[in-house]
């Protein structure tokens, strides 16, 4: 694209976000046509969240509906909040109650949790989402601007800054985003809102309470006084005529509908809340014997967030301010000075680490005499926790190590599992600024993420026969495979406890460990191998566990507990690597999908005792020989003694009925409103097919490669079956699982070193 084309695109972007200013009457017509643009703060925030839609996710083993707004869709997912869906849904439920005025109006939403749990991401996500929503036609946000120059022959200044009005074309916007309908008298506004809500396709009516802000009230009163002196009878029309008042839309942003009080912000409580007086301006403006609101800065958090959202970040640093906020939700009012107050319409949210709760409870032993009791009653707490889902933690760790921002939204577990296990290449620069690509081998991110998740799980609530890795897998996908059987989380009677996600290894600690490893000389980990720049799962797991004792973030007890949990993770990851190697070794022996589908068709026809029609429209007769060959050679479940000629015995019949037909019937039931054909079934949806055909063991290797010697794997003699099999296996690992030659070599050596001990 040329420079001019980029300029044109920028023009189009701004044109889409802004409208030409309109008169008050035109604005009312707009509201009657599109009522939601007049929404009060909490309702507008709710509308913005719901406008982005929802998607289904699995967390803690349960399927949950998640608002896409929290995936930061307008910003390509850069500040997406991963996990904590229940907490976010409860937050939205609170917003819905507050917006509808159902008993929570006085509440201040409190989001608490340890570091690296997504609280800061929520703040950025809210800013991004509200900014972009306000650029859409249905999300327009409006305020008023005034021009009093020349009214009644006066050239009175209208500024709340240092600029002076030069002519009637100088307009000054309400510094606190005053709602345009607050210009109307109370009785007229009530009737207007009644008509607006009749046209609103929503169960939550729009409320516009309060009066004009002090700055706008000063302009309104001045204009009204000037026209009254002139004998004007239609005072409201004169004051609000387009030459004095117009309505403009604005793009929501920090300082303009969103107020953010940061931890480092200073000043008196009044300055942090609403702003400060500019004393030089008091002398310049006609204040008629009192302070003039036009000489106020309006740079406090409530002023900036008026009309939409106020966030107090790291609230423990502003504990003194929280009590000053007590009556703001109740009364929707705050004072600039003793004689000057300002009505506010904003949704208050405070964000803190757990240390705020310690401050709030410092007088708890005084019970009824607790001076902070009123504040605590108004705080509606939602607690963010560490992630307890492997896939979410893997995604978060990749984000921390790279610039990846895409939110994973898989259609199947198989797709998600592939993303969890895939390798990662990171470019690292050394002291002389030489860039080197370093590989985190397949399963490395998975191992680090799994270890972090396992450290966060409650070990006291695990069903007999399961371990913490099993619990992590159940939380992530909702089921485990026990042999051929798929067992769902509900069958284990496993529930989330208050301890799950409450503590553990944070992602930032793991990220720093991995970053350090990426900058270390490679030969420290694999000095005997002719490969470079590869981090293996065991490298990361060992480093994370070894660093726990010296990391100041963990107590001695925590470090000991987490270090003990690494063993189960190592065992699981080794099993994953082992299966990769086995699958690569047996790739040429795998059954093709057409053969599997043919077997399923014949079993279904056998059970029906009749011909069936497959997806190609062909009639299929059950063939006893084909079924027998498949069950013996490919499934490996039976042998000749289970058949009388080609006729199956009871065990084979029961297997076909329980393992194959049951799965087919389940699929047919799920698609009962559609035409069902056997060919519509994905073989992987039948557990026994998916499990047995996709898995091999070392007995299979011994039967297939009689002369294979795992002890020779590192340096196999040329011309041997071991050498030929190794070459084929490494090639297959690269093609099938995205290993590099180096990581395939390292992984296969690690697996064979363990296998050789038990080979004989």
């Amino acid at each position: 694209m040329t420079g001019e084309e980029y300029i044109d695109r920028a023009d189009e972007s701004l044109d889409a976000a802004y409208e030409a200013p309109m008169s008050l009457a035109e604005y009312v017509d707009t509201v009657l046509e599109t009522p939601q643009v007049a929404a009060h703060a909490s309702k507008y925030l709710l509308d913005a969240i719901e406008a982005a839609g929802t998607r289904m996710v699995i967390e803690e083993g349960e399927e949950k509906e998640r608002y896409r707004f929290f995936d930061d869709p307008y910003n390509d997912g850069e500040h997406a909040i991963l996990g904590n869906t229940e907490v976010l849904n409860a937050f939205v439920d609170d917003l819905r109650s507050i917006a509808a005025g159902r008993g929570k109006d006085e509440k201040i939403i409190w989001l608490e949790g340890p570091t690296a749990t997504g609280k800061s991401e929520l703040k950025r996500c809210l800013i991004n989402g509200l900014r972009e929503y306000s650029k859409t036609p249905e999300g327009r946000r409006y305020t008023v601007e005034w021009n009093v120059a020349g009214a009644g022959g006066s050239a009175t200044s209208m500024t709340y800054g240092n600029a002076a009005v030069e002519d009637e074309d100088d307009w000054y916007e309400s510094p606190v985003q005053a709602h345009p309908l607050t210009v109307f008298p109370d009785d007229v506004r009530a009737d207007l809102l009644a008509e607006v809500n009749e046209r609103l396709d929503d169960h939550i009516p729009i409320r516009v309470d309060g009066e004009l802000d002090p700055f706008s009230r000063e302009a309104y009163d001045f204009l009204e006084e000037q026209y009254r002196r002139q004998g004007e009878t239609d005072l409201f029309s004169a004051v609000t005529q387009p030459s004095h008042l117009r309505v403009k839309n604005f793009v929501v942003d920090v300082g303009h509908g969103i107020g953010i009080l940061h931890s480092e912000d200073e000043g008196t409580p009044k300055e942090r809340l609403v702003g400060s007086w500019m004393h030089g301006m008091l002398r310049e403006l006609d204040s008629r014997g009192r302070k003039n609101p036009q000489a106020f800065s309006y740079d406090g958090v409530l002023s900036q967030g008026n009309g939409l959202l106020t966030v107090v970040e790291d609230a423990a640093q502003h504990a003194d301010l929280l009590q000053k906020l007590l009556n703001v939700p109740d009364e929707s009012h705050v004072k600039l000075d003793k004689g000057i107050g300002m009505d506010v319409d904003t949704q208050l949210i405070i964000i803190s680490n757990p240390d705020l709760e310690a401050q709030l409870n410092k007088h708890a032993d005084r019970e009824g005499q607790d001076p902070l009791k009123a504040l605590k009653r108004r705080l509606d707490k939602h607690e963010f926790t560490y992630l307890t889902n492997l896939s979410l933690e893997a995604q978060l760790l990749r984000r921390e190590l790279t610039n990846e921002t895409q939110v994973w939204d898989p259609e199947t577990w198989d797709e998600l599992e592939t993303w969890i296990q895939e390798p990662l290449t990171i470019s690292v620069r050394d002291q002389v600024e030489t860039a080197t690509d370093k590989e985190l081998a397949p399963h490395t991110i998975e191992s680090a993420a799994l270890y972090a998740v396992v450290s966060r799980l409650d070990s006291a609530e695990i069903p007999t026969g399961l371990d913490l890795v099993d619990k992590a897998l159940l939380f992530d996908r909702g089921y485990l495979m026990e042999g051929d059987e798929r067992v769902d989380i509900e069958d284990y009677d496993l529930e989330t406890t208050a301890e799950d996600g409450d503590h553990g290894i944070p992602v930032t600690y793991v990220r720093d460990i991995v970053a350090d490893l990426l900058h270390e000389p490679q030969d420290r980990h694999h000095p005997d191998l002719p490969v470079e720049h590869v981090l293996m799962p065991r490298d990361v797991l060992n480093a994370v566990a070894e660093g726990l004792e010296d990391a100041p973030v963990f107590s001695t007890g925590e470090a000991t507990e987490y270090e003990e949990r690494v063993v189960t993770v190592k065992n699981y990851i080794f099993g994953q690597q082992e299966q990769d190697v086995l699958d690569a070794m047996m790739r040429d022996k795998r059954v093709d999908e057409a053969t599997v589908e043919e077997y399923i068709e014949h079993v279904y026809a056998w059970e029906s005792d009749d011909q069936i029609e497959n997806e190609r429209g062909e009639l299929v007769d059950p063939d006893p020989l084909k079924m027998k060959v498949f069950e013996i050679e490919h499934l490996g479940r039976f042998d000749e003694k289970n058949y009388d000629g080609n006729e199956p015995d009871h065990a084979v019949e029961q297997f076909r009925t329980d393992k194959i037909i049951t799965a087919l019937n389940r699929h047919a039931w799920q698609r009962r409103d559609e035409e069902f054909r056997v060919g519509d079934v994905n073989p992987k949806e039948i557990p026994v097919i998916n499990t047995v055909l996709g898995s091999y063991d070392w007995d299979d290797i011994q039967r297939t490669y009689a002369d294979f010697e795992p002890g020779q794997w590192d340096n196999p003699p040329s011309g041997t079956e071991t050498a030929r099999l190794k070459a084929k296996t490494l090639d297959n690992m690269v093609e099938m699982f995205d290993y590099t030659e180096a990581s395939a070599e390292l992984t296969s050596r690690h697996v064979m070193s363990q296998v050789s001990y038990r080979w004989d």
Side-chain angles (χ1 to χ4, degrees):
M1 289 176 55
T2 65
E4 282 296 328
E5 288 173 327
Y6 279 111
I7 297 297
D8 290 342
R9 280 186 58 189
D11 285 337
E12 291 172 3
S13 177
L14 291 178
D15 288 344
Y18 292 100
E19 300 174 354
M22 65 181 80
S23 68
L24 185 61
E26 290 171 328
Y27 170 73
V28 171
D29 290 337
T30 298
V31 171
L32 291 171
E33 182 178 344
T34 314
Q36 65 264 28
V37 300
H40 51 286
S42 53
K43 177 172 171 52
Y44 182 90
L45 178 53
L46 179 65
D47 289 346
I49 293 171
E50 292 181 334
T54 61
R55 65 184 178 95
M56 297 306 297
V57 298
I58 293 179
E59 290 180 23
E60 286 76 49
E62 297 179 11
E63 196 173 65
K64 302 172 184 178
E65 190 173 27
R66 178 180 176 85
Y67 291 97
R68 290 185 180 272
F69 181 91
F70 301 114
D71 295 336
D72 198 15
Y74 301 108
N75 203 39
D76 297 327
E78 181 178 356
H79 296 297
I81 306 156
L82 302 181
N84 281 296
T85 293
E86 281 193 359
V87 178
L88 295 171
N89 287 348
F91 165 61
V92 176
D93 289 342
D94 272 359
L95 281 179
R96 191 171 289 108
S97 296
I98 293 169
R102 292 197 294 262
K104 284 200 171 184
D105 300 60
E106 82 284 0
K107 291 291 187 179
I108 299 173
I109 295 178
W110 176 17
L111 302 171
E112 186 209 59
T115 58
T117 51
K119 304 186 304 300
S120 295
E121 297 303 304
L122 174 62
K123 178 196 70 175
R124 298 184 182 99
C125 195
L126 287 168
I127 294 170
N128 292 337
L130 292 172
R131 181 197 301 120
E132 297 306 315
Y133 181 65
S134 70
K135 296 178 182 179
T136 65
E138 64 276 10
R140 292 283 193 256
R141 206 67 177 146
Y142 295 91
T143 189
V144 294
E145 54 183 1
W146 300 88
N147 185 344
V148 302
S154 169
T156 303
S157 173
M158 186 56 197
T159 183
Y160 52 88
N162 293 321
V165 176
E166 297 178 356
D167 55 49
E168 63 183 6
D169 293 327
D170 287 343
W171 290 86
Y172 292 90
E173 182 180 337
S174 163
V176 292
Q177 304 79 232
H179 196 298
L181 294 186
T182 56
V183 176
F184 286 95
D186 291 345
D187 56 339
V188 178
R189 190 197 316 167
D191 292 341
L192 174 55
L193 284 173
E195 183 175 353
V196 168
N197 285 320
E198 284 181 5
R199 303 185 182 201
L200 181 66
D201 185 20
D202 196 338
H203 66 284
I204 299 178
I206 292 172
R207 305 193 311 265
V208 181
D209 303 318
E211 305 297 332
L212 277 173
D213 65 278
F215 176 89
S216 298
R217 173 54 61 184
E218 194 78 9
Y220 186 100
D221 290 347
F222 172 79
L223 291 168
E224 183 181 64
E225 182 179 349
Q226 296 301 316
Y227 284 111
R228 182 183 292 113
R229 288 178 179 176
Q230 297 175 30
E232 179 63 59
T233 55
D234 297 326
L235 282 175
F236 187 80
S237 296
V239 171
T240 61
Q241 63 184 288
S243 60
H244 291 313
L245 172 69
R246 63 190 184 191
V247 178
K248 62 173 290 187
N249 82 295
F250 64 94
V251 173
V252 171
D253 212 334
V254 176
H256 217 177
I258 300 177
I260 305 289
L261 188 61
H262 300 93
S263 59
E264 66 272 16
D265 289 340
E266 299 178 345
T268 65
K270 183 60 64 65
E271 290 173 334
R272 284 177 282 163
L273 280 175
V274 284
S276 60
W277 292 103
M278 299 178 286
H279 298 286
M281 292 301 300
L282 288 173
R283 293 190 296 270
E284 296 179 22
L285 294 172
D286 178 16
S287 58
R288 299 190 290 277
R290 61 179 177 80
K291 290 180 179 178
N292 192 315
Q294 296 164 354
F296 200 75
S297 69
Y298 298 99
D299 57 4
V301 65
L302 288 174
S303 299
Q304 294 180 357
N306 187 49
L308 191 48
L309 176 68
T310 297
V311 178
V312 179
E313 184 183 58
D314 197 6
Q317 302 298 319
H318 298 284
D320 64 321
L321 193 68
L322 297 183
Q323 291 194 72
K324 302 293 183 181
L325 292 171
L326 270 181
N327 295 324
V328 171
D330 288 9
E331 302 173 5
S332 299
H333 188 85
V334 66
K335 285 188 175 182
L336 309 184
D337 199 58
K338 294 179 180 178
I340 305 173
M342 179 177 78
D343 290 324
V344 292
D345 175 30
T346 189
Q347 180 55 55
L348 273 167
I349 297 176
I350 68 170
I351 299 175
S352 79
N353 290 328
D355 50 355
L356 175 61
E357 187 159 20
Q359 293 188 49
L360 294 176
N361 289 329
K362 62 184 179 182
H363 302 298
D365 57 338
R366 296 168 60 178
E367 298 181 352
Q369 303 301 315
D370 185 351
L372 298 176
K373 188 174 182 178
L375 172 60
K376 289 190 285 188
R377 183 182 66 81
R378 283 172 170 81
L379 294 174
D380 200 357
K381 180 181 174 183
H382 299 282
E383 189 172 1
F384 276 68
T385 60
Y386 288 123
L387 297 176
T388 54
N389 277 59
L390 168 60
S391 56
L392 291 173
E393 186 68 16
Q395 185 179 177
L396 179 59
L397 183 54
R398 292 181 73 98
R399 283 169 168 260
E400 291 286 329
L401 292 169
T402 69
N403 292 322
E404 293 181 11
T405 60
Q406 183 180 5
V407 175
W408 293 355
D409 190 10
E411 296 183 0
T412 64
W413 166 254
D414 289 341
E415 184 178 17
L416 183 58
E417 187 173 42
T418 299
W419 295 343
I420 295 170
Q421 297 175 353
E422 67 184 3
L424 177 65
T425 300
I426 298 177
S427 181
V428 178
R429 294 186 178 275
D430 59 24
Q431 294 179 348
V432 293
E433 294 298 307
T434 301
T436 302
D437 285 343
K438 295 201 173 183
E439 177 196 3
L440 276 70
H443 302 292
T444 301
I445 291 291
E446 177 186 21
S447 66
L450 182 60
Y451 188 23
V453 167
V454 162
S455 75
R456 303 165 187 170
L457 298 179
D458 184 0
S459 60
E461 298 292 334
I462 301 180
T464 303
L466 301 185
D467 59 25
L468 285 169
V469 168
D470 293 325
K471 183 175 182 178
L473 296 176
L474 281 168
F475 274 6
D476 203 39
R477 62 192 183 197
Y479 68 90
L480 290 177
M481 297 301 299
E482 293 188 355
D484 299 336
E485 296 291 336
R486 168 177 164 150
V487 185
D488 293 329
I489 190 171
E490 294 84 3
D491 300 322
Y492 288 108
D493 194 25
L494 178 66
E495 296 182 355
T496 306
T497 72
E499 298 295 320
D500 290 323
D502 184 56
H503 62 284
I505 299 174
V507 68
T508 47
Y509 169 78
V510 179
R511 175 204 64 200
D512 293 344
I513 292 290
V514 174
D516 289 342
L517 291 176
L518 289 169
H519 286 88
E520 287 184 352
Q522 187 64 26
D523 60 2
R524 176 185 171 216
H525 304 289
H526 315 290
D528 61 324
L529 297 179
V531 294
E532 297 180 351
H533 316 310
V534 179
L535 273 183
M536 299 294 292
R538 61 187 183 278
D539 300 330
V540 173
L541 290 175
N542 287 337
V544 171
E546 290 168 3
L548 292 170
E549 186 177 351
D550 297 327
V553 71
F554 305 114
S555 67
T556 302
E558 287 175 327
T560 301
E561 178 187 359
Y562 302 157
E563 188 174 0
E564 292 172 351
R565 297 187 181 191
V566 75
V567 175
T568 57
V569 177
K570 284 183 175 181
N571 291 339
Y572 173 78
I573 294 299
F574 176 79
Q576 298 290 89
Q577 295 174 310
E578 183 180 32
Q579 197 59 56
D580 286 352
V581 173
L582 282 166
D583 288 346
M585 296 174 79
M586 296 291 288
R587 182 182 187 183
D588 297 341
K589 309 300 180 182
R590 298 176 72 88
V591 183
D592 62 81
E593 193 167 321
T595 302
V596 176
E597 291 175 352
E598 182 183 45
Y599 169 72
I600 293 172
E601 290 173 356
H602 282 274
V603 171
Y604 201 70
W606 166 82
E607 196 273 341
S608 303
D609 198 22
D610 197 1
Q611 290 181 329
I612 65 165
E613 183 180 348
N614 62 23
E615 64 176 349
R616 299 178 298 280
E618 302 166 345
L619 292 178
V620 177
D621 284 310
D623 188 324
L625 178 59
K626 286 186 176 180
M627 288 184 282
K628 172 184 174 180
V629 169
F630 189 92
E631 289 159 353
I632 292 176
E633 294 187 1
H634 299 313
L635 290 181
R637 308 213 25 132
F638 306 103
D639 52 35
E640 288 288 348
K641 68 182 181 183
N642 294 104
Y643 301 85
D644 182 7
N646 294 330
E647 294 303 315
D649 64 8
H650 176 70
V652 177
E653 290 180 345
Q654 188 171 11
F655 167 78
R656 293 176 184 175
T657 301
D658 294 348
K659 304 300 184 181
I660 307 298
I661 299 301
T662 299
L664 290 170
N665 288 340
R666 184 185 303 116
H667 189 84
W669 171 254
Q670 292 169 348
R671 299 189 54 176
R672 58 190 178 277
D673 295 331
E674 309 172 30
E675 182 181 1
F676 172 71
R677 294 180 185 273
V678 177
D680 294 334
V681 181
N682 182 345
K684 289 188 175 182
E685 295 180 20
I686 301 177
V688 66
I689 298 293
N690 183 40
T691 302
V692 176
L693 294 186
S695 302
Y696 297 98
D697 57 28
W698 296 105
D699 290 339
D700 296 320
I701 301 297
Q702 280 190 317
R703 285 196 304 269
T704 307
Y705 304 103
D707 296 328
F708 170 62
E709 291 292 342
Q712 298 176 350
W713 188 269
D714 288 2
N715 295 291
S718 61
T720 62
E721 185 169 51
T722 303
R724 291 190 295 272
L725 182 56
K726 178 176 181 178
K728 182 178 68 172
T729 299
L730 297 185
D731 288 342
N732 288 339
M733 290 176 70
V734 171
E735 291 183 26
M736 295 171 65
F737 306 116
D738 291 331
Y739 282 86
T740 61
E741 292 182 9
S743 59
E745 176 74 33
L746 288 171
T747 300
S748 64
R749 285 194 178 197
H750 178 53
V751 169
M752 293 303 172
S753 69
Q754 303 301 311
V755 171
S756 60
Y757 290 127
R758 60 178 189 265
W759 185 250
D760 293 336

